[in-house]
């Protein structure tokens, strides 16, 4: 099977521009923000823009796509006002996904900010229950690097939310986050152990996407800073096993690697294809 590899591209100037950028870097799947992720803002995607996005994706044979939710969304929060804003933002994201023909909306659980782990997980599950998700869209909870009171760094957190919500959710594992949270991915054996741990705790049948990133920091540091594939502490051996692991290789891999050292997404896309050759 041809590897499903792409990157997070920009909708600046129109959502269809993200498709063109994806094609230029050689990607065949991808991720977008529907608006600036650093402010409370509605997606505001016009019907003709959505039609162009769908048509361009079909023409270039690019998909699946993921919408990454706003960085401000906090499903775990104990604060009523922030919870209401987070639910409203997520509802608009899943509606935008349906309009664009995007399969997934990706979201972090957020931070409990002192409410405690169990309360934070309950808050997240009940917030997800408030969503009216179109049938053709799936919400993916993304793993976290695990700093401070943020939840989602432990596979147990992901399993708990899955068990506590009535919404049919899936998951996205970010390799840099998983590594930062203390699950080793730097050797083939370590990748196998981490994949087996996820399967035992959460279930591989619920894993729909991987954010494929190397890490500039060591395993277990809770530091989230991405590196080019093979250049970080996960390294060539770990990345090779991730993209070739029999339980992962057919998933869409979405890059969030940096633009530095004269390399950007296109270099990393080609690197994955080389590893799968």
């Amino acid at each position: 099977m041809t590897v499903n590899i792409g990157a997070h591209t920009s909708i600046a100037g129109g959502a269809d521009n993200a498709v063109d950028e994806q094609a230029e870097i050689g990607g065949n799947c991808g991720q977008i923000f529907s608006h600036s992720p650093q402010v409370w803002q509605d997606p505001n995607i016009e019907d003709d823009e959505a039609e162009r996005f769908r048509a361009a994706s079909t023409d270039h044979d690019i998909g699946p796509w993921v919408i990454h939710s706003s960085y401000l969304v906090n499903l775990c929060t104990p604060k009523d006002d922030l919870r209401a804003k987070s639910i409203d933002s997520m509802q608009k994201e899943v509606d935008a996904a349906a309009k664009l023909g995007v399969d997934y909306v990706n979201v972090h659980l957020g931070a409990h900010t002192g409410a405690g782990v169990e309360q934070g997980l309950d808050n997240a599950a009940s917030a997800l229950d408030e969503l009216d998700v179109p049938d053709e869209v799936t919400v993916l909870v993304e793993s976290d690097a695990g700093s401070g009171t943020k939840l989602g760094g432990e596979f147990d957190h992901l399993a708990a939310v899955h068990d506590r919500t009535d919404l049919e959710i899936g998951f996205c594992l970010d390799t840099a986050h998983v590594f930062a949270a203390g699950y080793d991915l730097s050797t083939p054996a370590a990748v196998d152990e981490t994949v087996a741990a996820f399967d035992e705790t959460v279930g591989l049948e619920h894993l729909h996407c991987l954010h494929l990133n190397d890490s500039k920091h060591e395993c277990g540091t809770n530091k989230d800073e991405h590196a080019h594939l093979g250049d970080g502490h996960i390294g060539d051996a770990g990345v090779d096993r991730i993209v070739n692991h029999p339980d992962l290789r057919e998933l869409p891999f979405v890059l969030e690697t940096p633009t530095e050292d004269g390399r950007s997404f296109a270099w990393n896309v080609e690197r994955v294809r080389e590893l799968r050759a």
Side-chain angles (χ1 to χ4, degrees):
M1 179 179 176
T2 301
V3 61
N4 213 193
I5 178 68
H8 187 118
T9 51
S10 173
I11 69 165
D16 50 309
N17 288 342
V19 186
D20 294 338
E21 182 185 351
Q22 199 67 246
E24 288 173 6
I25 66 172
N28 57 14
C29 65
Q31 180 174 269
I32 59 173
F33 291 124
S34 68
H35 57 84
S36 171
Q38 298 171 326
V39 296
W40 294 113
Q41 184 178 338
D42 294 347
N44 193 29
I45 295 170
E46 301 294 337
D47 290 346
D48 59 342
E49 182 182 356
E51 289 176 7
R52 292 196 304 271
F53 179 89
R54 285 173 174 266
S57 295
T58 299
D59 290 345
H60 290 293
D61 195 22
I62 295 175
W65 284 95
V66 182
I67 289 177
H68 194 298
S69 66
S70 169
Y71 293 143
L72 301 181
V73 168
N74 186 349
L75 301 179
C76 294
T77 183
K79 300 176 182 178
D80 291 341
D81 58 341
L82 179 54
R83 175 184 171 88
K85 286 183 178 180
S86 298
I87 292 170
D88 180 64
S89 179
M90 282 297 295
Q91 184 62 54
K92 288 170 179 171
E93 297 284 27
V94 297
D95 291 341
K99 189 173 189 177
L100 288 165
V102 168
D103 296 88
Y104 303 113
V105 172
N106 186 77
V107 64
H108 293 270
L109 291 178
H112 66 71
T113 62
V117 171
E118 292 304 316
Q119 186 60 57
L121 295 171
D122 282 344
N123 291 346
S126 61
L128 290 167
D129 286 340
E130 294 291 321
L131 301 178
D132 181 12
V133 181
D135 291 340
E136 63 271 32
V137 178
T138 301
V139 173
L140 303 182
V141 172
E142 181 181 344
S143 61
D144 197 89
S147 60
T149 66
K150 290 181 180 178
L151 300 181
E154 297 179 22
F155 293 161
D156 284 341
H157 297 168
L158 305 181
V161 171
H162 183 268
D163 291 344
R164 297 179 196 188
T165 182
D166 292 328
L167 183 65
E168 291 293 327
I169 62 171
F171 295 95
C172 171
L173 290 182
D174 183 308
T175 54
H177 295 174
V178 168
F179 189 71
Y183 297 93
D184 194 5
L185 295 169
S186 61
T187 67
V191 171
D192 291 352
E193 289 178 11
T194 294
V195 171
F198 179 86
D199 189 27
E200 181 178 355
T201 307
V202 183
L204 282 165
E205 67 272 20
H206 304 303
L207 182 61
H208 293 261
C209 180
L210 283 177
H211 284 173
L212 186 61
N213 305 297
D214 210 326
S215 173
K216 290 187 177 181
H217 302 280
E218 294 181 357
C219 184
T221 58
N222 303 124
K223 293 181 179 180
D224 177 18
E225 192 174 5
H226 300 173
H228 291 302
L229 301 180
D231 281 5
H233 288 275
I234 293 176
D236 283 329
V239 172
D240 189 332
R241 182 55 178 165
I242 291 166
V243 301
N244 287 293
H245 192 286
D247 292 324
L248 306 179
R249 60 183 285 118
E250 295 185 8
L251 294 172
F253 296 99
V254 177
L255 298 162
E256 298 171 326
T257 46
T259 297
E260 60 186 19
D261 303 326
R263 293 172 289 172
S264 57
F265 289 141
W267 184 91
N268 289 280
V269 166
E270 182 58 29
R271 180 70 184 123
V272 172
R273 292 211 165 98
E274 289 171 356
L275 292 172
R276 286 284 286 267

